[in-house]
Every structure is written in structure tokens, then in C-alpha cells.
């Protein structure tokens, strides 16, 4: 059987520096115990026996240790360590190459156990690296190489979701480093800027400033809500503070045009569970607001899908603590008609739901992305909008990793 070897994954911790180098066995230690703390060690004998080399940096090539290691010991603070049978972390031949991911700190492994009829790891290790995420460990890429299933069709004709004006729904990703990435949906990614870990809320839905380009709202740890104006090219070149005191809100969602005046609005839930509409003026501000209703503390997630119900009014979707997903059809006057159950169970596992425009099929109906937590390597799943506000599960698009957040 042709196998690609991989281990299960957990979480990541901190980074190391220094320079790689060999270390002589300590007199008082034997076997694996000779490996110094903070190092990754390889041995030319099984179970930590024989000669040893230890490293504090990743290695593209192993020099005299190439194709020599029989056992390894991870004593770095990283849980994601990847071993490759090819130098420079290459994995090109799925039959004969091996890319093995070790899961966990203080992890020991005898490489003789990693083999099948076509390949083996014992005396075949040529490079290794560790990283804060499984994705970086395996591929060296920080961003999620997300692929929009309809990217080449350019089917998104809705007035939101498309950040670069190419007719496709796009995503934003914040990684564990605090960098914000633009994901156009073709597997590539572009870093926008860094420092976004200081934000406690990020939300977007359409054009807030009146220039026809989608914008972004962010709240920082001090409670200041800031508008980041989109340039129509997948970036946000300027920003302005909208207001302070937003730390009193436990949920903030750019909501589309709920008031029916053609301008994009915002909804926010306070600590008492009251959901309030903040009406946009089309110039990047929200000059007036009104309470919609109370009792919203039971909702864990919110999304603004646009007109999911098909009545020409923008709607709201919310997932509750019981795992149900509800559609709140907008009435076009800043409120909602009777809610409708559109997901009977299983939605509590999704920590993020997003209205992303028309991504699944060229129907003109809005779709939804639901993502599980990256801390459990959760799936990113696409749901296609159907007549009457129903959703069709189209399966997983990708998996998130430690520190990932999608918007």
C-alpha cells in the first residue's frame, strides 16, 4: 500500500533561536536522556543509542548525518516537527518520499517503525523543521492555501464578499503571528499587515464608505471600533476610529442593509443580551442606533448572509448554545420577522460562521462558510444557500490551524 506518513497534531508553544551543533553525550546520561533540553536530537542507533547530534535550528540538509539517523527525540518547545526523506523539506513522490509529522514535545521515536513496501524512514532522514503550526511545518506557508471551488467562474455578483473586484468571494485570515492575510481563493495569499492580534473583533460585509469597495471593522483591546477602508485590491490603506466604549459589546457583526436605506449597517449585542442596530450613513459612520430585541445571550455565533430568505431584505443568521442555526429574516426596516430553524443540530462545533457572497454555484443566492476552531484543527465547511433560506452542506474546503481566524 502506498502510504504518506503523518501523525496526529496538537498545539504549538514558543520559538527557539541559537545555532545548530553537535553535542557530546553527557557522562551521567544514556540513550535518549543524553539529548539536551531545547534541542532536537538524532541518533544513529535505535532507541536513542549510538552517536548523537543535537540541533537548535531547523536543517535543510544533514551533511554527514544524511541518511544516518535511526531514532529521534524532540526536546524543543514545538509540538509540530516534520521529518523528510528528501533535503530542503521536499515531498514530491508520494510513493517513495516520506513526510512524517511528530506530535508533541518530549517526543521520542524509533524510525524503524516508519516504513511500508515502498519507502522507509530509518537511515533515510535528510531534513527536518519545526514550526508553530502544522501547516508551516509541512509546507513552510503561514497562510491558509484556501481554494474557492468556483474561483475561475467569477460567480459572486452580490454586493459583498469580493475584496479585490475580480468577481470572486474572498477571505481574510489572521494567523498566530497577528498578520492579516488576503486570500483570493486560488490557493495563494498576500500579507496585508501585522499587529492584528490586538483586535478582539473583526467583521466585514460590503461597502461602508460609499466608494463601492468592501471595508473592514475592527475593535481593539481598549474598546475602540475602527473602520479600515478597502481599496478594491484586497488591502486597507487607511483607517479611522469610529468610536470608543465598544468593549461593552460581546458580539459585533457588520450586517448589510437591515434598515432598507441602501446603506450598510451594524448589529451588536451587549452584555445584557440586547441586540442593537447601528444604522450606517454610507460615509463610514453609524450616527444613530436602536435596540432590536433582548434575549440574545444564548447565541454563540452570528453571520450576515445578505438575502438568504429570498424576500429582497438582508437577513441575519445565528447559532445558539444548543447547536441549532437560526435564520432571522430582515423586514427591511431594521428588524426581523419570525425566525426560522435552518440547522437542527451540530452547529455548536462551529466557532465562526461567515456570509461570503455567492461562492458555491452561480445562483445569485448567498452562501455560508462555517469554521471549527483551529486549536482542534477544525474544518472549514461550505454551505450553499437554497430557496427558502435552506442550506446545503457541500463539504470541507480546508482545515484551520493554531491561531487561525477567518473573516
Amino acid at each position: 500500500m502506498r502510504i504518506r506518513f503523518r501523525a496526529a497534531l496538537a498545539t504549538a508553544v514558543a520559538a527557539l533561536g541559537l545555532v545548530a551543533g553537535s553535542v557530546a553525550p553527557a557522562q551521567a546520561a544514556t540513550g535518549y536522556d543524553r539529548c539536551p533540553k531545547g534541542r532536537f536530537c538524532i541518533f544513529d542507533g535505535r532507541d536513542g543509542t549510538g552517536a548523537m547530534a543535537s540541533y537548535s535550528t531547523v536543517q535543510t540538509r544533514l551533511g554527514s548525518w544524511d541518511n544516518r539517523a535511526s531514532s529521534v527525540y524532540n526536546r524543543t518547545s514545538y509540538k509540530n516537527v516534520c521529518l523528510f526523506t528528501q533535503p530542503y523539506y521536499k515531498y514530491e513522490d508520494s510513493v517513495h518520499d516520506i513526510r512524517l509529522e511528530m506530535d508533541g514535545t518530549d517526543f521520542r521515536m524509533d524510525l524503524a517503525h516508519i516504513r511500508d513496501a515502498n519507502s522507509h524512514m530509518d537511515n533515510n532522514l535528510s531534513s527536518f523543521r519545526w514550526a508553530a503550526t502544522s501547516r508551516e511545518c509541512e509546507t513552510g506557508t503561514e497562510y491558509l492555501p484556501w481554494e474557492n471551488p468556483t474561483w475561475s467562474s467569477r460567480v459572486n455578483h452580490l454586493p459583498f464578499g469580493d475584496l479585490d473586484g475580480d468577481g470572486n468571494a474572498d477571505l481574510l485570515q489572521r494567523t498566530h503571528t497577528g498578520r492579516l492575510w488576503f486570500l483570493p481563493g486560488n490557493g495563494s495569499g498576500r500579507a496585508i499587515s501585522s499587529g492584528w492580534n490586538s483586535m478582539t473583533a473583526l467583521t466585514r460585509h460590503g461597502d461602508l464608505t460609499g466608494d463601492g469597495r468592501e471595508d473592514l471593522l475592527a475593535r481593539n483591546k481598549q474598546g475602540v471600533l475602527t473602520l479600515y477602508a478597502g481599496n478594491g485590491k484586497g488591502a486597507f490603506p487607511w483607517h479611522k476610529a469610529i468610536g470608543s466604549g465598544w468593549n461593552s459589546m460581546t458580539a459585533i457583526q457588520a450586517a448589510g442593509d437591515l434598515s432598507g436605506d441602501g446603506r450598510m449597517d451594524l448589529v451588536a449585542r451587549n452584555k445584557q443580551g440586547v441586540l442593537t442596530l447601528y444604522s450606517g450613513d454610507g460615509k463610514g459612520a453609524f450616527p444613530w442606533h436602536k435596540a432590536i430585541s433582548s434575549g440574545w445571550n444564548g447565541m454563540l455565533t452570528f453571520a450576515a448572509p445578505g438575502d438568504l430568505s429570498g424576500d429582497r431584505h438582508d437577513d441575519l443568521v445565528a447559532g445558539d448554545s444548543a447547536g441549532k442555526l437560526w435564520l432571522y429574516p430582515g423586514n427591511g426596516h431594521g428588524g426581523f420577522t419570525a425566525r426560522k430553524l435552518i440547522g437542527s443540530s451540530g452547529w455548536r462545533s462551529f466557532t465562526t460562521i461567515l456570509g461570503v457572497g455567492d461562492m458555491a454555484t452561480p445562483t445569485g443566492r448567498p452562501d455560508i462558510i462555517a469554521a471549527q476552531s483551529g486549536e482542534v484543527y477544525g474544518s472549514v465547511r461550505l454551505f450553499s444557500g437554497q430557496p427558502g433560506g435552506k442550506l446545503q452542506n457541500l463539504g470541507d474546503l480546508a482545515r484551520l490551524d493554531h491561531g487561525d481566524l477567518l473573516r
Side-chain angles (χ1 to χ4, degrees), residues 79-208:
K79 288 189 174 182
N80 299 308
V81 178
C82 292
L83 312 182
F84 299 81
T85 54
Q86 294 295 326
Y88 300 103
Y89 323 124
K90 291 180 180 179
Y91 181 77
E92 299 172 336
D93 181 347
S94 61
V95 177
H96 301 102
D97 294 347
I98 298 177
R99 177 177 64 194
L100 170 70
E101 185 162 359
M102 298 174 63
D103 169 23
T105 57
D106 202 41
F107 192 106
R108 309 175 182 192
M109 177 174 288
D110 190 330
L111 298 182
H113 300 304
I114 311 302
R115 63 180 305 113
D116 70 357
N118 300 297
S119 54
H120 62 92
M121 183 67 81
D122 189 21
N123 295 319
N124 201 23
L125 178 64
S126 291
S127 60
F128 58 80
R129 66 180 166 199
W130 49 79
T133 66
S134 172
R135 180 172 57 246
E136 291 173 275
C137 185
E138 290 187 352
T139 67
T141 301
E142 180 180 323
Y143 65 85
L144 178 71
W146 168 69
E147 294 188 2
N148 181 337
T150 59
W151 184 80
S152 61
S153 302
R154 306 181 188 277
V155 301
N156 184 36
H157 302 299
L158 299 177
F160 63 96
D162 182 8
L163 288 167
D164 62 354
D166 67 350
N168 293 303
D170 309 309
L171 289 178
L172 295 174
Q173 176 196 10
R174 185 181 65 188
T175 62
H176 66 96
T177 64
R179 272 188 285 269
L180 189 67
W181 293 82
F182 168 64
L183 308 180
N186 63 355
S188 67
R190 186 179 74 246
I192 297 174
S193 58
S194 58
W196 290 84
N197 276 344
S198 64
M199 300 300 176
T200 58
L202 296 171
T203 184
R204 66 183 179 99
H205 184 108
D207 171 27
L208 297 173

